[in-house]
Amino acid sequence: MTRTTPIIAFLLCLASSVMAADSIKVMHLTGQSNKYHSWKNLGDAITQHLENAGIFEVDTVVSPALGEDMSEFSPNFGEYDVIVLNYDGAEWSEPTKAAFVSYVKNGGGLVTIHGTNNSFAYWPEFNEIIGLGGWGGAGLYDPPLYPGEPDKQASRDEKWGPRVYWHACGAVHDDSPGGTFHPPKHDFIITNRTPDHPIMRGLPEMWLQANDEVYSRLRGPAKNLTILATAYANQKLRGSSPHNEPMLFTVAYGKGRVFQTTLGHVGANDDANVPSVRSVGFIVTLQRGVEWAATGEVTQALPEDFPTAYKTSVR
């Protein structure tokens, strides 16, 4: 039988306390999604990937279900270094909205994932915080997007701001009319456009994302936006964009750091093991993006199983 001496027990306790103090506190805020997504299964994958990184302390905050009373939903944002938002649903109360804006503006980190950019279509501050958005959220708006059709989603158009894409050596802000869309899921190349950014540093110039959606012609205020990586959809697929579309980007909002990944589609009938969220490219850029949003730096090394331009990598 091995005994632990008091001094060893003290040192182990001290080490554990130091590790806890040094970990990044993450609020994973979720609980609602539109009928095309599964917030629960995407959330399970997000939590697992963040916990596996070894540097995050993750608390999951679940909102009331879609259709339930949201008036008392009031997360304590200020207790966390970064919010990971996996949410596409009903409006929050005005006090909760104000607290969220204040949190980001005063230096809080924010990461938004895939369908989250469908949320809060008529909340101007949120649209400025995320930079670009896609569709109309859960349809619970006042006024409704489509009277008599509360479940119908609307594509955001030029009223929301320019569409943004990459051409030649930089971002193009295009004010021409038109809405957002995406082709069917498929494997596609992601290109690293800002290799000196902490999130992208050390990542290859190109890699294959596994069986995901290329969100295209996203619209929004696009203020203080930096494109990190783009994708070019297979042109043989219905609805493919002719442009290099932003997949990963950051937004500066006040003192806050915002990272948006449009990757990570988990359909309503999918589980947490779909390739889109098991792709190492998704996992690594999520982990790095959360660390950067919280601290402004990235300490995580590039794993050996990161995908190449010729082969996907799925864990």
Side-chain angles (χ1 to χ4, degrees), residues 101-150:
V101 171
S102 177
Y103 168 83
V104 180
K105 183 178 290 185
N106 288 294
L110 176 68
V111 173
T112 69
I113 301 173
H114 194 63
T116 297
N117 76 21
N118 298 186
S119 287
F120 307 128
Y122 296 104
W123 179 5
E125 292 88 355
F126 184 78
N127 288 331
E128 189 169 331
I129 287 169
I130 68 169
L132 297 170
W135 289 264
L140 301 179
Y141 301 118
D142 185 15
L145 295 174
Y146 292 89
E149 299 181 77

Side-chain angles (χ1 to χ4, degrees), residues 284-303:
V284 169
T285 53
L286 170 66
Q287 292 169 334
R288 285 176 161 229
V290 173
E291 183 180 7
W292 173 83
T295 70
E297 300 293 336
V298 172
T299 61
Q300 301 167 77
L302 184 69

Side-chain angles (χ1 to χ4, degrees), residues 42-61:
L42 173 57
D44 288 347
I46 290 168
T47 299
Q48 181 181 6
H49 298 330
L50 294 182
E51 290 180 345
N52 285 346
I55 62 173
F56 303 113
E57 180 185 344
V58 183
D59 290 339
T60 298
V61 175

Side-chain angles (χ1 to χ4, degrees), residues 181-184 186 188 212-216 231-234 245 247 262:
F181 57 82
H182 64 76
H186 64 291
F188 52 84
D212 210 342
E213 293 178 341
V214 180
Y215 270 14
S216 304
Y232 188 70
N234 185 332
E245 298 288 345
M247 295 289 102
T262 66

